[in-house]
């Protein structure tokens, strides 16, 4: 049964307040409720999934260079493959694989080492010759390429459908979702003179909620939430733009949408994958925009056109149907932040996924719920605690697009 407030206002108290109802917050809420946590409130300043999740390209892959990231991605893909059976929502999962195009010997060597690690962890990743790349992706101009990396189990799906599945399941377990509700601050007890500072309440535009635990899952806005709580979360917004084409003539373009993998030119971060009867394209801006700016840039389409012309010229005549811009949530080492704030007891965080938050959401929701309820997560994420920047240093993830 859906948990709602008759006045649309916040309840006076809750066990847990989760900030952000994208895939991360929705997954955490669902898994906490499954653990038997009662009185969970999911606070969203707009509507569920309306932030970066709804702007994502929907890619889901296991090809990472970091063991923990591979484990999180692998678990998430397992969940997504069974999502419709478990949650009753069709997420349009397409498993055509992920193909990385590599144009330098150094990148090829690095990816070969990554593929070895992925294979040791049970994945079907493999390196491809340029001839094999040409056979798998005949729409690609292979000039300048030295190799490819491919995992046939990777793919893409619809982010909004995944959020919807988690939100509905969480509500059925009693989670209350507050839409159009902005977090305005935090109340604390303890401190420098009386001991450990701990969270006692979250203040919102719909009222004050007493609570013992808070989760920051606010994506690119997590740094601002951390600032309001006196917690240093080094997350910065980075603008990215996407274009979806009108339906394409596969025969004319020489492509097969049923088999076409999610294809990424690693050195430029240009990518393309099937999207229904059309194609979805993405690439960075010519100059990075580090700001809360999700407006479309008129200079971006010419940048994309140049990249299509140089790497996939046969796709250059597609017609633009629609496009949008969204925000990556970047950290200094392109790895996520997962843990409990050492300076603020009861304040947990799951943010900073640097472009791969959607694909890791299912697994991270499970992990964070375990951490908060004293269970042992399936993978040790202690290395993703934000304290690494002051202690062990950067934990570099190489496979970022």
């Amino acid at each position: 049964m859906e948990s709602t407030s008759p006045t649309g206002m916040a309840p006076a108290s809750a066990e847990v307040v989760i900030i952000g109802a994208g895939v991360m917050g929705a997954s955490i809420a669902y898994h906490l409720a499954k653990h038997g946590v009662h009185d969970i409130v999911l606070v969203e300043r707009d509507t569920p999934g309306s932030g970066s999740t709804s702007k994502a390209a929907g890619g889901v892959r296991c090809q990472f260079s970091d063991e923990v990231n591979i484990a999180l991605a692998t678990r998430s893909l397992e969940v997504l493959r069974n999502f419709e059976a478990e949650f009753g929502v069709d997420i349009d999962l397409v498993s055509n694989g992920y193909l990385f195009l590599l144009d330098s010997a150094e990148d090829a060597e690095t990816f070969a080492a990554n593929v070895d690690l992925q294979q040791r962890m049970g994945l079907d990743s493999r390196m491809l010759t340029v001839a094999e790349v040409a056979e798998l992706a005949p729409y690609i101009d292979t000039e300048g390429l030295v190799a490819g990396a491919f995992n046939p189990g990777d793919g893409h799906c619809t982010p909004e459908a995944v959020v919807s599945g988690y939100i509905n399941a969480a509500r059925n377990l009693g989670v209350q979702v507050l839409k159009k509700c902005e977090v305005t601050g935090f109340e604390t007890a303890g401190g420098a003179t009386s001991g450990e500072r701990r969270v006692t309440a979250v203040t919102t535009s719909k009222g004050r909620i007493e609570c013992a635990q808070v989760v920051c899952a606010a994506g690119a806005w997590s740094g601002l939430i951390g600032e309001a709580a006196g917690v240093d979360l080094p997350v910065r917004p980075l603008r990215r733009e996407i274009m979806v084409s009108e339906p394409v003539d596969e025969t004319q373009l020489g492509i097969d949408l049923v088999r076409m993998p999610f294809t990424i030119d690693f050195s430029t971060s240009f990518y393309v994958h099937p999207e229904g009867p059309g194609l979805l394209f993405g690439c960075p801006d010519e100059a990075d925009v580090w700001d809360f700016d999700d407006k479309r840039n008129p200079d971006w389409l010419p940048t994309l056109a140049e990249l299509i012309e140089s790497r996939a010229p046969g796709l250059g005549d597609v017609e633009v149907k629609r496009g949008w811009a969204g925000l990556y949530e970047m950290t200094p080492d392109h790895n996520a932040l997962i843990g409990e704030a050492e300076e603020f007891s009861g304040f947990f965080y799951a943010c900073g996924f640097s472009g791969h938050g959607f694909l890791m959401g299912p697994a991270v929701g499970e992990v964070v719920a375990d951490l908060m309820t004293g269970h042992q997560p399936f993978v040790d994420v202690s290395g993703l605690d934000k304290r690494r920047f002051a202690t062990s240093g950067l934990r570099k993830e190489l496979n970022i697009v």
Side-chain angles (χ1 to χ4, degrees):
M1 182 177 177
E2 182 180 330
S3 179
T4 58
S5 166
T7 62
M9 297 300 288
S13 64
E15 284 190 52
V16 179
V17 174
I18 301 168
I19 303 166
V23 68
M24 206 62 62
S27 176
I28 292 168
Y30 167 72
H31 285 287
L32 278 174
K34 266 187 74 176
H35 275 316
V37 177
H38 302 291
D39 297 328
I40 300 167
V41 178
L42 185 55
V43 176
E44 169 55 50
R45 67 176 191 155
D46 197 343
T47 56
S50 61
S52 293
T53 297
S54 66
K55 311 287 180 64
V60 287
R61 62 177 165 104
C62 298
Q63 290 184 79
F64 288 94
S65 64
D66 182 280
E67 203 165 323
V68 175
N69 288 337
I70 295 169
L72 290 170
T74 302
R75 176 62 68 92
S76 283
L77 260 170
E78 287 173 11
V79 173
L80 293 173
R81 288 190 188 106
N82 298 301
F83 203 87
E84 186 171 5
E86 184 171 349
F87 294 93
V89 176
D90 180 5
I91 62 172
D92 303 311
L93 180 64
V94 175
S95 297
N96 290 354
Y98 249 72
L99 171 64
F100 282 92
L101 308 174
L102 308 172
D103 63 9
S104 80
E106 184 182 1
D107 284 345
E109 189 177 324
T110 299
F111 267 78
N114 296 345
V115 164
D116 285 345
L117 172 60
Q118 292 156 21
Q119 288 177 347
R120 291 197 300 273
M121 295 181 69
L123 300 180
D124 293 327
S125 302
R126 59 182 182 270
M127 295 297 292
L128 301 181
T129 65
V130 175
E132 288 171 325
V133 169
E135 186 178 349
L136 182 64
Y139 47 90
I140 290 299
D141 182 345
T142 59
E143 185 178 353
L145 295 183
V146 299
F150 181 64
N151 182 347
D154 295 345
H156 60 275
C157 61
T158 302
E160 299 94 322
V162 175
V163 173
S164 173
Y166 277 127
I167 291 288
N168 290 338
R171 280 174 161 158
N172 288 337
L173 292 172
V175 173
Q176 181 173 335
V177 181
L178 285 180
K179 307 174 192 175
K180 305 287 184 183
C181 181
E182 195 156 351
V183 170
T184 55
F186 298 86
E187 294 179 14
T188 66
T193 56
S194 55
E196 188 178 65
R197 190 169 71 103
R198 65 185 185 278
V199 63
T200 57
V202 176
T203 56
T204 79
S205 57
K206 292 195 171 182
R208 173 181 178 275
I209 311 170
E210 284 188 14
C211 60
Q213 290 182 320
V214 172
V215 186
C216 176
W221 295 267
S222 294
L224 300 178
I225 296 295
E227 197 176 304
V231 173
D232 181 23
L233 294 175
V235 176
R236 296 174 66 200
L238 175 63
R239 213 182 74 93
R240 282 286 188 263
E241 196 159 336
I242 285 171
M243 183 272 278
V244 176
S245 77
E246 292 284 0
V248 298
D249 184 329
E250 296 177 62
T251 303
Q252 184 182 341
L253 296 181
I255 61 174
D256 180 358
L257 293 178
V258 173
R259 294 183 62 249
M260 182 181 182
F262 193 129
T263 308
I264 301 170
D265 189 41
F266 183 66
S267 66
T268 64
S269 291
F270 159 70
Y271 61 86
V272 57
H273 74 66
E275 183 78 1
L279 297 170
L280 181 149
F281 296 88
C283 71
D285 285 292
E286 199 162 320
D288 286 338
V289 179
W290 296 91
D291 199 1
F292 292 99
D293 177 8
D294 61 359
K295 296 182 181 66
R296 297 188 65 190
N297 179 356
D299 296 329
W300 180 81
L301 272 176
T303 300
L304 174 66
E306 286 179 18
L307 290 169
I308 294 174
E309 180 60 32
S310 64
R311 188 51 76 198
L315 305 181
D317 291 333
V318 300
E319 294 183 29
V320 177
K321 179 181 181 182
R322 60 194 172 96
W324 63 88
L327 302 175
Y328 276 11
E329 41 174 323
M330 303 299 291
T331 63
D333 63 1
H334 300 167
N335 269 294
L337 307 173
I338 301 174
E340 182 179 7
E342 71 277 11
E343 67 268 50
F344 195 12
S345 177
F347 185 99
F348 291 82
Y349 51 86
C351 55
F353 288 86
S354 302
H356 49 262
F358 167 64
L359 73 94
M360 290 189 177
V364 173
E366 184 183 328
V367 166
V368 172
D370 283 342
L371 291 175
M372 295 178 69
T373 55
H375 293 79
Q376 185 70 37
F378 73 91
V379 62
D380 180 6
V381 295
S382 59
L384 297 178
D385 189 291
K386 69 187 186 68
R387 278 174 284 194
R388 69 181 181 269
F389 298 115
T391 55
S392 59
L394 302 186
R395 179 191 182 100
K396 194 68 176 174
E397 171 55 58
L398 303 172
N399 292 22
I400 294 298
V401 178

